[in-house]
Amino acid sequence: MRIRIVDAFTDRPFAGNPAGVLLLDGDGFPGDGWLQDVAVEVNHAETAFAHRLPAGGDADWALRWFTPVTEVAMCGHATLATAHVLHTTGTHEGPVRFATRSGVLVATPAADGAITLDFPTAPLTSVAVPDGVAEALGAEPVAAFDTGANVGDLLVELADEKTVRGLAPDHKALAAYSARGIIATARADDPAGGYDYLSRCFFPNVGIDEDPVTGSAHTALAPHWSARLGRPDLTGLQASPRTGLVRTGLRGERTLLTGRAVTVIEGELHADPDA
């Protein structure tokens, strides 16, 4: 089968967040062990596996995501990467509905090549900043929020953009504070710079010290910053070394995530799941 590496939430190679994408033959998934082995071999933040579903149902394709360590409940950048492959190869035209552990997620392509994902908005709950987070992160949060089961992170707002960019956290220590990890964010210093807020994401519990660009995290960042800034439509910059932009649109219980993707590598996988 064909295997691709796609850089998501970017319009150029070697930026954004790389994901492995495999479109599977047949009407089901191979065993979990094989899926995890492929994700380990690909060794990117996520590898997406999708197979076509029968016509006439609630979804067009079934989709699962694996990090090199575990399966995850929701992944934005690998969903964007999968939709990009389906559309650029002519495998699927128009909006595509994915059946996932987080419900049906829809990816809609635009004429200019951008793709908009329709994801559930994370339910934010204000919490006290846990003891030890400031020391593990290397900065004192001004607020903290639980992001709910789908995202599984602790969202912390920091004082300013410089603080977010300068973080050098103790990744092992961060693992104690949430199911997946920590989203650190601040308002943009210059709103004319092309983004309204920035973030960095640290996910030691799923084997990712720093994720390059995290779609799922923006389902929590969107309601947080839309409430702060008074606008439903914003742009977030994930300030990892690779960087990437995510346009967010808060629509009540749903959040729209818009970005681009670029296929960087395409090859053939010879590891037969039935062997």
Side-chain angles (χ1 to χ4, degrees):
M1 68 191 75
R2 305 301 291 172
I3 184 169
R4 297 167 175 87
I5 306 298
V6 177
D7 289 346
F9 291 114
T10 183
D11 60 0
R12 59 186 176 87
F14 314 124
N17 201 351
V21 178
L22 284 90
L23 304 183
L24 303 167
D25 296 328
D27 57 0
F29 289 105
D32 289 3
W34 185 86
L35 299 174
Q36 189 66 70
D37 284 344
V38 173
V40 171
E41 193 78 5
V42 172
N43 200 34
H44 284 310
E46 267 88 10
T47 299
F49 302 89
H51 70 78
R52 196 186 300 271
L53 293 171
D58 293 334
D60 307 301
W61 289 76
L63 178 63
R64 295 171 71 182
W65 314 277
F66 285 76
T67 78
V69 173
T70 188
E71 184 174 9
V72 295
M74 187 166 67
C75 178
H77 87 277
T79 304
L80 179 65
T82 305
H84 168 81
V85 169
L86 288 171
H87 294 130
T88 56
T89 60
T91 307
H92 188 97
E93 294 184 358
V96 54
R97 301 168 299 167
F98 293 110
T100 78
R101 288 174 57 181
S102 297
V104 175
L105 307 176
V106 181
T108 302
D112 65 359
I115 295 173
T116 296
L117 308 178
D118 184 335
F119 271 42
T121 301
L124 297 183
T125 304
S126 179
V127 296
V129 177
D131 292 340
V133 163
E135 291 76 13
L137 196 59
E140 187 69 48
V142 298
F145 303 85
D146 180 87
T147 59
N150 279 345
V151 176
D153 297 329
L154 181 69
L155 171 66
V156 295
E157 183 179 343
L158 302 182
D160 52 34
E161 180 169 330
K162 179 180 178 181
T163 303
V164 173
R165 290 184 179 276
L167 292 174
D170 180 338
H171 297 287
K172 185 176 180 179
L174 287 181
Y177 298 105
S178 66
R180 184 172 68 165
I182 301 285
I183 306 166
T185 187
R187 185 173 182 170
D189 285 347
D190 179 11
Y195 55 94
D196 301 288
Y197 59 90
L198 79 160
S199 63
R200 291 175 66 189
C201 295
F202 309 103
F203 303 142
N205 286 328
V206 293
I208 306 166
D209 282 349
E210 180 167 6
D211 199 33
V213 191
T214 315
S216 60
H218 284 77
T219 67
L221 290 162
H224 177 74
W225 287 111
S226 288
R228 289 282 198 280
L229 302 177
R231 290 182 284 126
D233 297 327
L234 302 169
T235 298
L237 169 73
Q238 195 148 331
S240 69
R242 291 176 64 102
T243 74
L245 289 172
V246 183
R247 300 205 315 266
T248 57
L250 186 64
R251 303 292 185 268
E253 294 183 354
R254 309 297 294 184
T255 293
L256 304 181
L257 310 171
T258 301
R260 298 176 179 273
V262 181
T263 300
V264 178
I265 296 173
E266 182 175 352
E268 187 170 348
L269 180 67
H270 293 279
D272 186 350
D274 299 319

